[in-house]
Amino acid sequence: MSTSERNRERDSESTFGDYGGQYVPEALMPALQELEDAYERYVLENEDGFLDEFRERIRDFGGRPTPLQRADRLSDRYDREIYLKREDLVHGGAHKLNNALGQVLLAKYMGKERVIAETGAGQHGTATAMAAAHLDVPCEIYMGRTDINRQRPNVYRMRMNGAEVNPVTAGSGTLKEAINETMRDWATTVERTHYVIGSVVGPHPFPKLVRDFQSVIGREAREQIRDRAGRLPDSVVACAGGGSNTMGAFHEFVPDEDVDLVAVEAGGSSLEIDEAAGLAPNSATLSTGTDGVLHGAMTKLLQQRDGQIVESHSVSAGLDYAGVGPELAHLVETGRVTPVTVDDEAALNGFHRLSNLEGIIPALESSHALGYLEEAHEELGDLVVVNVSGRGDKDLETVLEETENRDLAAAPDVEVFDQ
Amino acid sequence: MSHESTTDAAIESDVEAAIRENHPALITYITAGDPSLEETKAYVEALDRGGSDLIELGLPFSEPIAEGPTIQAAINRALDAGTTPRGFFELVDDLETEAPLLVMTYYNMILQFGGEPDVRPFVERAAEVGLSGIIVPDLPAEEADPLREACDDHGIDLVFIVAPTTEGERLDRIMSQVSGFAYVQARLGTTGARANVSTATHDSLARLSEYDVPKAVGFGVSEGDHAAEIIEAGADGVIVGSALVDIIAEHGSADSGTESQNTAEHADGDAAAELEAKAAELKRGARRGAADEDAPEPEQP
Ligand SMILES: Cc1ncc(COP(=O)(O)O)c(C=O)c1O
C-alpha cells in the first residue's frame, strides 16, 4: 500500500479512538458522504489542483506564511526562549481564515451555491464572510445574541463583506445555540448549501477537514523553529475552544513524542458545574468534561448527569463552548496532549502583558495561552512555541469593561477612557 | 386492501401491528413535561381517546437540532418545568393507553441514562415501563448498532427516519434495518406545522413503495386534509406533532393559576378536549384518504 493510500484509509475512518462519528439527522447523511468524497479527492489527492489553488490564495489573499517571532521581553521575563506563532497576522486577524478559505473553496469545487456558518467570537463568521466575498459565494452567518453584543466590530465586518448575520436568541445566545441553528438551516437547504463549520468539531469528516486546513500553522512553525533554534521546541502551547488553532498548531508535532503539547482551556471563574442551574462558569471541556454526543460527534462535553448540555462561560467568546473537537479529546485521553486551565483573570493579565511587553494585542482566546505561560513557564522547557491564534482588536470593549471591575496586575490604568 | 400482512416468519411487533391493524394509522406526538408531567398524562390519555394508534412522547433534550420553533419551545417549557428522564419513565409507567407508546429523544439522553455512557440502562428501563419503540432523530443507521442490539434484546422497535435525501444504497440499507415502521420525513428541514403537503412526500412514498414495511409520514402534517392526501399517496400512517403542541402552547399551564394571567379560564380539561378533537379530525382525514385510495381499485385483479 502506498503512503497516500494508507493516509486515505486512515482519513476515511470516522472516529479517533472512541470519539467522533456522525450523529446527525438522516437528511444530512448524504451531504456528509458527498463532503467525505470531496475531502478525499480534493484535499487528500489534490484533484483538479485544489490544493495548489488553496495554497496560492492563502498566500496572496491570506498573508501566509505567518512569522514565528522570538518574543524578546517574554524570553527575558521567563528566562527561556519564547517564540510566538503569529496567526494574528493572518488576513482578518485570526487563524480562522485558514479553514474558512479552504472550506469555501471546497464548496465551490463541490458546486454548492451558498455557504452558511456559525460564529462565537465572530472571527470565524468574519473569516467566512471574507472568503465568501473573495470567492463570490453568497453567505449567511448565525451568531448568538450575547456574542453579537460583545463582538460588535466583527458583526460590522461580516455585514461589510456582504454576509447576512442572523441573530440567535435561544439559550444563553452563544456558540452552542448558533451551531444548533446553523444545523437547522443546513437540514433545510442541504442540497445546495455547504456548512462551513468553524472548528475541529461536528460530524466526520469536518474534524479532519478543518484540522488539515489548520495544520499549516504547525507545519510552518515546525520548519521555522528548526531554522531559528536548530531543533524542535520542548513544548507547543495553544488555547482550546473547539480546538482548531490547537489541532492546527499540534498536528504536525504529534509524532514528535519529545514535544509537549499543551491545550489551554478557559477556566472562567470556577471549574465546578452548577447542576441545579445547568451552568458551567467555565469552558474547560477537556479538563472537566465527560463523554457524550453533541453537534454530530461523540466527544467530551460539559453536561449534567442526565445528559442535558450546560451553558458554558468564558470572558472570551471564542472559547465559550460546551464541546470540543473529538480528535483533541482522543489525544487527551491517550495522554499525548495535556489539558490545563487558565481563569478569566489570568487571561486578562495575559492580554495586557503581551500588549505591554511585546506590542502585540492578542485575542482574549490566545490570551489564555499567554496566561498559562506566566503561571507555568517552568514546566514548559527551554524552548517554547506559543500560538497567538488571533489579534485582540475585537476584544477591546470587553477588556476595558472587565479590567475596570478587577484589580489586574498587568493592566494599565484604564479609567482615562471613561471620561 | 393493498396491505396484506407479510407471510414472513418474523413476529410483528406491537408497533407494526398497531399500524397494520389500524390502517390508516394516526401517530401523535407531544413533548413530555410540557407544561408539566401531570398535564402530559391527561393529554396522552386524550390523544388515545381521540383515536391515536401510536403515541410518541418526546423526552426533552437541551439541543434539539431536528426540531423547529414549536417543538423547541415545548422542550424548553418541559425543561424549565424540571422534566428528567426518571420522571419521564415514571409517567410512562403510570399511563394506560390503548395505543402503544414510543419515546422520541436525542442520542445523548439515551447514552447518559445509567450514569456511564451506555445505551443499555435506558433501553432496559424503557422495556420495564412498557415503551414499545424508540426514535432518535440524531442517530443515523451508521451509528445505530449498539442501540439496535440493545433494543432487539428487549423487544423494542428502533424506528429509522427516511429523509427526502435518502436514496439508492442508503435507502436499501435503512429499509433493511427498520423495525416497527419507517418514519418518512415529509420535507427537508425541521419539524413544524405547515399549510400544505410537500411534493417531497409524494416522491418519497413512490420511492418506498417497493419495500414491504409500514410507512408513516411526518414533519409538517397539521390537518385532516393533509392526512387524507398522505394516505391516498400510499402511506400507512401519518405523524402529527407540532399541530398538537400548538394546542398545548395556547392553553399555557393550568398550574400557574396563581399568576394574574388569563390561563385560569383555559382549564386543563379544555386542552385535553381540544387534543382529543384534533386527533379525531386527523384520524377521520386519514380514513377519508384510505377510502379514496381504495375507491378506484376494485376493478384491479
Ligand atoms: C482568535 C481565536 N482563537 C481561538 C479561538 C477558539 O477556537 P479554536 O479552539 O477552534 O481555535 C477563536 C474562536 O473564535 C478565535 O477567534
Side-chain angles (χ1 to χ4, degrees), chain A residues 347-355 361-364 367 392 395-396 399:
Chain A
L348 287 160
N349 273 320
F351 177 96
H352 289 299
R353 203 176 302 109
L354 194 73
S355 305
I361 298 178
L364 268 177
S367 300
D395 294 318
L396 291 187
V399 169

Side-chain angles (χ1 to χ4, degrees), chain A residues 93-96 119-124 198-200 239-246 317-319 363-366 388-391 394:
Chain A
H95 71 293
K96 297 282 177 186
T119 196
Q123 281 303 124
H124 174 59
S199 190
V200 286
C239 69
S244 69
N245 89 92
T246 337
L319 300 184
L364 268 177
E365 290 80 7
S366 324
V388 180
S389 55
R391 68 173 192 230
K394 68 186 175 62

